[in-house]
Amino acid sequence: MQNQEEQVADGKRAAFEFEPKGEDCSSSILGNSILHSDGVGADLTQQQQHEEELAISSLQQNVPFVGDKEPLSALAAEYQSGSPILIEKIKILSDQYAAIRRTRGDGNCFFRGFMFSYLEHILLTQDRLEVDRVKNNVEDCRKMLQSLGYVEFTFEDFFSLFLEQLDCVIEGNESSISYDELLNRSRDQSVSDYVVMFFRFVTSGEIQKRSEFFEPFILGLTNATVEQFCKSAVEPMGEESDHVQITALSDALGVPIRVVYLDRSSCDTGGISVNHHDFIPATGNPPNAADGSSETFNPFITLLYRPGHYDILYPK
Amino acid sequence: MQASRARLFKEYKEVQREKSADPDIQLVCDDSNIFKWTALIKGPSETPYEGGVFQLAFSVPEQYPLQPPQVRFLTKIFHPNVHFKTGEICLDILKNAWSPAWTLQSVCRAIIALMAHPEPDSPLNCDSGNLLRSGDVRGYQSMARMYTRLAASPKKG
């Protein structure tokens, strides 16, 4: 009986020539606004998109999660025969910035860049006050996730791994590590991905905690609710970050971030300038809150944004 | 490997402690391998799967929980998003929308939700998807109910 049915099923299937591959299917219980396609045509384009993404990600496999520090001239070399606007902008950048450190373009580049920049800053400055301050904020994030109903064991491993890295970059502990070891760990998937995931949990918790604030921005991006957005665009590894995620992470940890934009935009007045945006924590106690003036704003994390990707920039 | 084992052990303890919390799900770890689990889930009420008990097989990768578990139906089921022969399940959280915030237990809940809310536009079982897409809800329901009786009903007597 069952066999018969299977045969019937197969016969019918042959008549309809569109069986999307398993990988491309998109049944969603997170709400169908973001990930869900609308029928056959959409499935095809989604599949093409998926293939392109795969092609890109296989190229990216050769790039380490966090690259070596390169002089800014390496960036200029990339655009040698490129758009004059970009060449001009890189020239301007080289007045202020000395070096670039690339991150792998696997959708986690913002978090990965933030991770390395932040830990590197602590390692170089040995700023224990900053470590204490951020640990307090991490504790608040933990409580926030609990109160949002997250099961503790689903996120605690990621939290403890980040706290462990924080302790490691401070000298004088048994577990203290060198600069090279920090680089090794940032390239080691089992550490690097766990820290990225820690940031994703923190970001998600912050967005949900202040859902009224973030809701209009999220509605501008998708039709999703705040919770759906967090479940589908923040928590899964490989989901790219944008303004919403950066704002939330900066706020949650109380760490200011400068993002420098390298794109083809230019202003009408003729002059070319490089835009940047400072993410200044809205809540908590940011590191240089005392002086309060934006003139002296001195972020210790600067990221270079090119459409779709973040790398680390080093000021002169 | 060590991390995934530790995490699975936490899930195991949680399942033991909350055994009666979710009467629709019975999640069991293989005696000798913590990376292999099976689950018995009850077909949701007011669906053609009501009254059926469905067995799921979990195979957990070493990169868990950064990567999702592989889950498939061992019990034959007629559902647009489940492959009729292999039992493969088409569900976003088992693929690109996975995150470590999910657990084996909450995956079971998500699968029960999928049983109650089929998504015929992304079918793994085209016959089932086509019935729903063409508006033949009765046809879909009677097929699904038949297979629930044939394959998923506890033996009587």
Side-chain angles (χ1 to χ4, degrees):
Chain A
M1 177 73 189
Q2 266 187 36
N3 274 339
Q4 228 170 12
E5 273 303 324
E6 274 180 32
Q7 274 160 15
V8 173
D10 275 345
K12 275 190 204 160
R13 186 169 299 141
F16 297 91
E17 291 186 339
F18 57 84
E19 191 175 11
K21 285 183 198 152
E23 286 301 315
D24 290 292
C25 68
S26 54
S27 313
S28 168
I29 64 145
L30 302 177
N32 47 16
S33 13
I34 299 182
L35 297 154
H36 202 224
S37 62
D38 283 352
V40 186
D43 269 348
L44 273 176
T45 46
Q46 199 184 36
Q47 189 167 342
Q48 283 163 354
Q49 207 177 358
H50 185 63
E51 278 164 13
E52 276 169 30
E53 280 166 14
L54 275 181
I56 295 168
S57 73
S58 65
L59 277 179
Q60 287 288 339
Q61 293 295 313
N62 303 322
V63 180
F65 287 136
V66 176
D68 287 324
K69 207 166 170 175
E70 299 170 74
L72 215 65
S73 54
L75 186 62
E78 235 180 274
Y79 290 96
Q80 238 166 16
S81 50
S83 141
I85 296 176
L86 292 179
I87 293 172
E88 190 58 34
K89 283 189 175 183
I90 294 170
K91 226 176 262 172
I92 298 170
L93 279 180
S94 60
D95 291 339
Q96 295 167 54
Y97 297 97
I100 181 176
R101 190 189 291 277
R102 297 172 206 270
T103 62
R104 186 186 289 184
D106 62 356
N108 301 309
C109 54
F110 163 70
F111 291 114
R112 199 98 62 187
F114 181 90
M115 163 185 73
F116 188 82
S117 252
Y118 187 77
L119 293 173
E120 179 188 39
H121 171 80
I122 303 293
L123 184 86
L124 295 176
T125 59
Q126 294 297 308
D127 186 347
R128 284 161 201 262
L129 282 177
E130 170 61 16
V131 171
D132 291 341
R133 192 195 60 78
V134 91
K135 278 185 177 173
N136 279 332
N137 287 353
V138 170
E139 264 331 289
D140 290 345
C141 295
R142 185 195 298 275
K143 285 177 198 142
M144 176 50 54
L145 285 172
Q146 282 168 337
S147 72
L148 287 166
Y150 283 71
V151 185
E152 178 136 17
F153 75 72
T154 62
F155 61 83
E156 65 186 0
D157 293 345
F158 304 96
F159 272 60
S160 34
L161 200 91
F162 174 72
L163 293 172
E164 196 185 310
Q165 305 314 307
L166 266 185
D167 287 334
C168 288
V169 290
I170 288 290
E171 288 165 8
N173 295 329
E174 255 175 59
S175 56
S176 294
I177 59 169
S178 66
Y179 193 91
D180 286 346
E181 177 58 17
L182 173 62
L183 200 53
N184 286 341
R185 287 189 183 186
S186 304
R187 289 171 179 173
D188 172 357
Q189 187 163 19
S190 64
V191 178
S192 207
D193 278 358
Y194 264 62
V195 176
V196 167
M197 199 52 226
F198 160 76
F199 290 136
R200 289 187 177 276
F201 271 116
V202 166
T203 304
S204 178
E206 181 72 17
I207 292 173
Q208 292 175 75
K209 168 180 139 193
R210 287 160 58 222
S211 62
E212 279 176 27
F213 171 78
F214 284 107
E215 194 171 26
F217 299 100
I218 290 170
L219 284 175
L221 294 169
T222 68
N223 290 319
T225 66
V226 171
E227 199 192 340
Q228 284 166 352
F229 177 80
C230 286
K231 291 262 175 262
S232 60
V234 182
E235 290 171 13
M237 288 295 282
E239 286 294 325
E240 288 176 13
S241 295
D242 217 320
H243 242 71
V244 169
Q245 287 92 333
I246 301 175
T247 306
L249 183 64
S250 169
D251 286 352
L253 296 179
V255 175
I257 303 167
R258 171 166 290 175
V259 176
V260 177
Y261 296 89
L262 181 57
D263 54 25
R264 286 163 201 264
S265 66
S266 59
C267 39
D268 298 331
T269 53
I272 289 180
S273 62
V274 181
N275 299 324
H276 69 258
H277 183 83
D278 289 331
F279 294 85
I280 301 171
T283 51
N285 308 304
N288 35 9
D291 45 59
S293 125
S294 59
E295 288 300 312
T296 57
F297 176 74
N298 186 22
F300 48 74
I301 293 181
T302 304
L303 301 175
L304 176 69
Y305 177 77
R306 287 177 282 171
H309 187 66
Y310 297 87
D311 292 305
I312 303 167
L313 269 187
Y314 291 90
K316 281 191 168 165
Chain B
M1 178 86 171
Q2 212 48 48
S4 53
R5 197 178 287 278
R7 159 73 180 247
L8 284 167
F9 191 65
K10 287 176 193 170
E11 296 204 30
Y12 177 79
K13 281 202 294 195
E14 183 77 5
V15 166
Q16 299 305 311
R17 195 170 56 220
E18 302 273 322
K19 241 177 183 158
S20 52
D22 205 333
D24 296 336
I25 301 167
Q26 200 187 324
L27 193 57
V28 184
C29 177
D30 187 295
D31 283 341
S32 58
N33 186 351
I34 200 162
F35 293 94
K36 302 274 179 223
W37 296 61
T38 51
L40 293 172
I41 57 175
K42 284 187 188 160
S45 57
E46 288 168 43
T47 71
Y49 311 106
E50 184 171 8
V53 176
F54 297 82
Q55 194 176 18
L56 302 171
F58 286 75
S59 174
V60 183
E62 285 180 12
Q63 293 80 16
Y64 185 81
L66 284 175
Q67 281 179 12
Q70 289 177 309
V71 192
R72 63 187 187 93
F73 274 90
L74 291 178
T75 308
K76 182 79 60 196
I77 178 171
F78 186 80
H79 184 287
N81 310 112
V82 182
H83 196 285
F84 191 70
K85 281 185 179 164
T86 64
E88 185 197 341
I89 303 165
C90 166
L91 184 60
D92 58 351
I93 61 148
L94 293 174
K95 298 192 167 100
N96 54 350
W98 167 262
S99 94
W102 292 93
T103 64
L104 301 183
Q105 184 86 14
S106 64
V107 164
C108 290
R109 281 199 290 273
I111 290 170
I112 292 174
L114 181 68
M115 290 166 84
H117 303 280
E119 303 219 1
D121 284 336
S122 51
L124 268 178
N125 179 337
C126 288
D127 303 308
S128 174
N130 288 336
L131 284 172
L132 276 176
R133 273 209 287 222
S134 62
D136 190 356
V137 178
R138 263 187 75 185
Y140 153 72
Q141 287 186 336
S142 63
M143 286 288 280
R145 202 173 293 121
M146 181 185 81
Y147 277 107
T148 303
R149 287 210 188 122
L150 279 175
S153 299
K155 303 274 179 292
K156 279 174 190 147

